[in-house]
């Protein structure tokens, strides 16, 4: 009896079905570009070493791309669409595009048109979290040197801070890049710093993220800075704020003017990925209105308390939340494209 063989058309159909249903995988580039991840890590490490703030900026780029996770945040405006860079949450705020350009250039040099810009953002965000940059110890001591090799918590050594990275996690890969972007979508999807707790919970829930995901991801504010315009109302008009913290912050954020002046989101250890952000919230020292809403007599108070007391719990939930966020509506299979230049479509 002759065996039944599928026709060439049937094979082609099955191929496209398989491609369209492709799933993200941590081993996606193991064969097609085995040095991709190490190349990204190297560029990120250099960028963070040159400017510690860059770690927070690259992490934020991934956040602002991911209520979609398709690299659309990187696209410049064109005659056909107005992109996300000048949306209200992003204008004069998100940065790090030059670092992404450098990563893309180096990855393209080893694997042409294989690694997507969306995946570069996801990997760079993880590498930014775990990046370690140690300042020169002005007054070395046995205790400080011990902490260099066995870092448990950031400590002061002389006048310099031993900077420690955050949790590592396995990045799921295989995203493809969007061929368009929408400023209006960015305006409506990205949660502003003025949101109430219910607004925050709803914003994240609409993207399939839990309240635990939302609080853990907010912990990314343990690094980075915010502009005066985004927290002025809180430090001058809100009452659930530590008085000394408000007064000290006003020195860099006048009641009028100075909109672009920066203040650290975590006033205690602004360059260290740790749980001080949550300890600040318990002390009413959250910089943004939306930050302090996480600890204001609502349903997330207990989780903030847990994270403020248990950094391992925060790290574990943050890692899980980052993976969950990275899984929001990625383009896979034959959808989208692999851009040659992250700023424009092919």
């Amino acid at each position: 009896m002759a065996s039944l063989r599928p026709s060439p058309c049937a094979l082609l159909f099955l191929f496209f079905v398989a491609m369209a249903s492709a799933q993200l995988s941590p081993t996606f580039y193991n064969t097609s570009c085995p040095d991709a991840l190490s190349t990204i890590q190297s560029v990120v490490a250099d960028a963070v070493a040159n400017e510690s703030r860059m770690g927070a900026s690259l992490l934020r780029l991934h956040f602002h791309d991911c209520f979609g996770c398709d690299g659309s945040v990187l696209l410049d405006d064109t005659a056909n669409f107005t992109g996300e860079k000048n949306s209200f949450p992003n204008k004069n705020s998100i940065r790090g595009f030059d670092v992404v350009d450098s990563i893309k250039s180096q990855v393209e040099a080893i694997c042409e048109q294989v690694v997507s810009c969306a995946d570069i953002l996801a990997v760079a965000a993880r590498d930014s979290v775990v990046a370690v940059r140690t300042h020169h110890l002005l007054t070395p001591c046995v205790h400080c040197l011990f902490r260099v090799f066995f870092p448990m918590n950031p400590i002061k050594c002389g006048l310099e801070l031993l900077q420690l990275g955050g949790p590592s996690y396995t990045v799921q890969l295989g995203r493809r890049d969007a061929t368009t972007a929408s400023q209006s979508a960015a305006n409506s999807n990205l949660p502003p710093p003025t949101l109430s707790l219910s607004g925050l919970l709803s914003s994240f829930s609409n993207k399939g993220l839990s309240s635990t995901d939302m609080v853990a991801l907010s912990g990314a504010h343990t690094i980075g800075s915010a502009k005066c315009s985004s927290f002025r109302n809180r430090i001058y008009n809100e009452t659930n704020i530590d008085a000394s913290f408000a007064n000290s912050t006003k020195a860099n954020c006048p009641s009028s003017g100075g909109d672009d002046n920066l203040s650290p989101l975590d006033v205690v250890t602004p360059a260290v990925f740790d749980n001080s952000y949550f300890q600040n919230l318990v002390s009413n020292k959250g910089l943004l209105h939306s930050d302090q809403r996480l600890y204001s007599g609502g349903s997330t108070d207990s989780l903030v308390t847990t994270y403020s007391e248990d950094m391992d719990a925060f790290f574990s939930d943050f890692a899980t939340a980052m993976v969950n966020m990275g899984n929001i509506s990625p383009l896979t299979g034959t959808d989208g494209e692999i851009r040659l230049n992250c700023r424009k479509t092919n």
Side-chain angles (χ1 to χ4, degrees), residues 198-221:
S198 61
L200 288 168
L201 291 170
S202 177
S203 177
F204 280 74
S205 176
N206 288 340
K207 296 298 180 179
L209 298 175
S210 68
S211 58
T212 299
D213 290 331
M214 187 268 287
V215 177
L217 289 171
S218 297
H221 284 179

Side-chain angles (χ1 to χ4, degrees), residues 56-71:
S57 297
L58 292 172
L59 178 56
R60 191 162 184 250
L61 264 184
H62 181 49
F63 280 171
H64 282 226
D65 186 48
C66 263
F67 279 23
C69 295
D70 56 8

Side-chain angles (χ1 to χ4, degrees), residues 53 56-57 59-60 63-64 93 193 217-228 230-231 234 245 249 252 261-272 274-281 284-292:
R53 183 186 170 205
S57 297
L59 178 56
R60 191 162 184 250
F63 280 171
H64 282 226
S93 177
L217 289 171
S218 297
H221 284 179
T222 187
I223 55 175
S225 304
K227 291 187 176 182
C228 171
S230 65
F231 60 82
R234 168 154 170 75
F245 169 68
T249 307
N252 197 41
N261 292 354
L262 296 174
S263 289
L265 289 159
D266 171 6
V267 70
V268 179
T269 54
V272 181
D274 58 14
N275 63 339
S276 290
Y277 166 81
F278 297 104
Q279 296 170 357
N280 294 338
L281 298 186
N284 283 334
K285 295 179 181 178
L287 183 66
L288 303 179
H289 173 85
S290 55
D291 286 335
Q292 196 59 57

Side-chain angles (χ1 to χ4, degrees), residues 39-61:
T39 301
I40 297 171
Q41 182 185 45
S42 177
V43 179
V44 170
D46 287 345
V48 174
N50 289 331
E51 181 194 357
S52 59
R53 183 186 170 205
M54 188 53 67
S57 297
L58 292 172
L59 178 56
R60 191 162 184 250
L61 264 184

Side-chain angles (χ1 to χ4, degrees), residues 54 67 80 90 121 142 151 157 188 203 236 242 268 290:
M54 188 53 67
F67 279 23
N80 298 320
N90 293 336
L121 285 182
V142 173
C157 291
S188 61
S203 177
Y236 282 96
D242 178 83
V268 179
S290 55

Side-chain angles (χ1 to χ4, degrees), residues 155-176:
I155 59 170
K156 288 283 187 178
C157 291
L159 300 178
E160 296 291 337
L161 183 67
L162 185 62
Q163 302 209 349
L164 308 179
S168 184
Y169 52 92
T170 300
V171 179
Q172 299 293 312
L173 302 166
R175 300 169 189 80
R176 289 169 64 84

